[in-house]
Amino acid sequence: MATKVQLFCLTLFLFLVSHNANTLQTYIVQLHPQGTTRSSYPTRLHWHLSFLQQIVSNEEDAFSRLLYSYRSAMEGFAAQLSETELQTLRSSPDVISVRPDKQLQVHTTYSYKFLGLDTSGDGAWYQSGFGRGTIIGVLDTGVWPESPSFDDEGMPPVPKKWRGICQAGQNFSSLNCNRKLIGARFFIKGHRVASVSPSANMIQEYVSPRDSTGHGTHTSSTAGGASVPTASVLGNGAGVARGMAPGAHIAVYKVCWFNGCYSSDILAAMDVAIRDGVDILSLSLGGFPLPLFDDFIAIGSFRAMEHGISVICAAGNNGPIQNSVANTAPWIATIGASTLDRRFPAVVRIGTGKLLYGESLSPGKQMPGSGSELKLVYVTGGNTGSEFCLRGSLPRSKVRGKMVVCDRGVNGRAEKGEAVKEAGGAAMILANTVINLEEDSVDAHVLPATLLGHAEAIHLKAYINSTRNPRARIIFGGTVIGRSRAPAVAEFSSRGPNLFDPSILKPDVIAPGVNIIAAWPQNLAPTGLPDDSRRVNFTVMSGTSMACPHVSGIAALIHAAHPHWSPAAIKSALMTTADTNDHMGKPIMDGNMPAMSFAIGAGHVNPRRAINPGLVYDIRPDEYIAHLCTLGYTRSEIFTITHKNVSCHEVLLINRGFSLNYPSISAVFKQGTRRKMITRRLTNVGSPNSIYSVEVKAPEGVKVIVKPRRLLFKHINQSLSYRIWFISRKRSSTKKMDFAEGHLTWAHSKNNFYRVRSPVSVTWK
Ligand SMILES: *[C@@H]1O[C@H](CO)[C@@H](O)[C@H](O)[C@H]1NC(C)=O
Ligand SMILES: *[C@@H]1O[C@H](CO)[C@@H](O)[C@H](O)[C@H]1NC(C)=O
Ligand SMILES: *[C@@H]1O[C@H](CO)[C@@H](O)[C@H](O)[C@H]1NC(C)=O
Ligand SMILES: *[C@@H]1O[C@H](CO)[C@@H](O)[C@H](O)[C@H]1NC(C)=O
Ligand SMILES: *[C@@H]1O[C@H](CO)[C@@H](O)[C@H](O)[C@H]1NC(C)=O
């Protein structure tokens, strides 16, 4: 009872505080780029400050309120304002919008404090020479520059167009950059003003580009890390580690801190990265789905796209819940996660002799007591969270010397291992619940441990329940490659449909995101836990955070091969060449069902084919504006995103029946409609005198007519359009939304390599 009362008081207190008119909060203020007052000031900074000077008592105060002045990602600034000041500012004619700063998170599978694990770059796609000279900007938690993955041996010189810097700070000097890691900056102002001081047990935070949590080191090495011949995590997954684009340069922008990543800091990093001269921006972070005009990643990346920069973002880890996919702007490439065919079997043999399949990166043989039969215990009852193995919840008398079963969820997976070890336990079995089902992210645990899927966990618990003396042993099988079906959809990967824009299918593609091994800070344990004293150069992590930099690296390869391609053309190449079958030639699975395009988008990235797609669906920046008009956005909402003042009435009059030239196709039947026409335009980037003909697999309940059915491209760069009619065979009479899907492929008449495939999705609203 006492705690309830306290909690209530606390809530009330917060409520009062947040409504105090004098409390300062961070807001992002967007200005009209051709503002009427702009010309009265010598510089942009003076102009931005003038808005604060009008509302703050003296000039000095005004400057101290300003966090950032933006110009390339957006026109405007971030500042600390009170509620009263906000009202005054809103009425200023040059102010387009004022929005509160937002806290976002990195997209690892458990991001609770970035105390994550590991995952690795899958070097299978490596094509020597490609990626050379391309600059990948990574917005994340920073970098550990001494990692062998950032060695610059054999790297070409820093590109001439590079304008970035190597910003010195705490434990980071400007000499930490080289020809591989060509730039490093940090953006902390938004985070600093929003965060109360870290609690005592908080991991050390470097006020510099140096990575204190490991996430950014991991993602940037996955995108463009150098080859390291002897990478492994405590002997597991041993092999050559290399990023997707080992010839690419990396520029690191630290925007995520112990308390998350703030929009004001992210926007500041994008603002600078556009001017620094990056070719690719990789963002393994985000939040929940938002309308585009409310989403600063969408706004900043629109400007980046206009500058020819490809923006690649993680889809989020809120799957398998529908509508959970985030970062869905059509000018962003949105990346879901898949599994690799690399397994780390660690089977549990229970007392009856039955074998339960589990996986573990735990260094079995190297640990004392590993592999021997132990008493098995699952501590339930009470309300201390002992079934989840929360720290301090396990009675020493019950678990000492035993193998402890811990349910997944609530606290971090590796932290459970530490709790068991602290209480005197000898080994651990992590048991998936209905939430995680068969998802199998592994960790470099501090004690012998394995992870069981939900089905096996049920068997295990029934066995414990059935005998007075339950016993088990873990049999560690090392690293096994190629024997299981892969890729498959990662359980946690966020799913469509796209909540705010069902006419654009998201995610766009999937890429490896489960148990990825990549670079890690040399002063952190492989578990990221402060009390774990082991040190490694590589560790394993899981999340769409890990999938995103794989595609960023592959986009760098495409960019290096085709320097003049637009971000839309690069994305089209990634999507139309993606695989929908797994390595055994059967449909990619999502759990025990073939995956829908709401899970995999166009499919699993295939870099070898994406370098040479034959045809691309290109999009000009102004076409996105027409698309925003079709969404019914207001003039000011469109202005917020695009900085263009357009009349949608006129735009849609000129572009009758407009459809965005997206590489995937999504038809939405609104209530009462039975017909829908969509247009597409293909550009030849393959060979001259090419004939393509269309193959259609119509979604169930729909008739699909494509005209023309053959396209003859005489020249390179030639564009040809086609139309697709969808005729619904059923009325959308039911109250419930309904979906069906198929695909459409343009196949080259002679060259089998050129098959330009689009998923087709139909929605009845
Ligand atoms: C950071 O720098 C300080 C002072 O130079 C040094 O004492 C400390 O060991 C460094 N910490 C790390 C983790 O490098
Ligand atoms: C254990 O057995 C009891 C009684 O037979 C049953 O009520 C309970 O649900 C079982 N628990 C599990 C986890 O199987
Ligand atoms: C990590 O890399 C450094 C530098 O390449 C090397 O000296 C060190 O031995 C490596 N550590 C481990 C544990 O492999
Ligand atoms: C856009 O144009 C209209 C009409 O030309 C004008 O009234 C309006 O103020 C403009 N808005 C912005 C944000 O520039
Ligand atoms: C195609 O267009 C690109 C960019 O406009 C140009 O660089 C390239 O030379 C063109 N290729 C041909 C064969 O015309």
Side-chain angles (χ1 to χ4, degrees), residues 24-39:
L24 297 184
Q25 264 202 53
T26 305
Y27 290 89
I28 298 174
V29 179
Q30 189 172 19
L31 300 174
H32 198 301
Q34 292 89 40
T36 50
T37 54
R38 170 69 182 96
S39 57

Side-chain angles (χ1 to χ4, degrees), residues 3 26 55 67 139 180-181 200 229 259 263 282 297 322 385 498 539 560 610 626 688 730 763:
T3 42
T26 305
I55 53 175
L67 299 183
L139 270 62
K180 167 57 75 182
L181 180 66
N259 203 18
S263 296
S282 187
I297 293 179
Q322 278 204 347
N498 186 343
T539 198
K730 53 183 180 185
T763 305

Side-chain angles (χ1 to χ4, degrees), residues 32-34 93 96 635-636 639 644-647:
H32 198 301
Q34 292 89 40
I96 297 293
R635 191 186 276 254
S636 79
F639 193 86
K644 301 281 186 330
N645 190 4
V646 295
S647 153

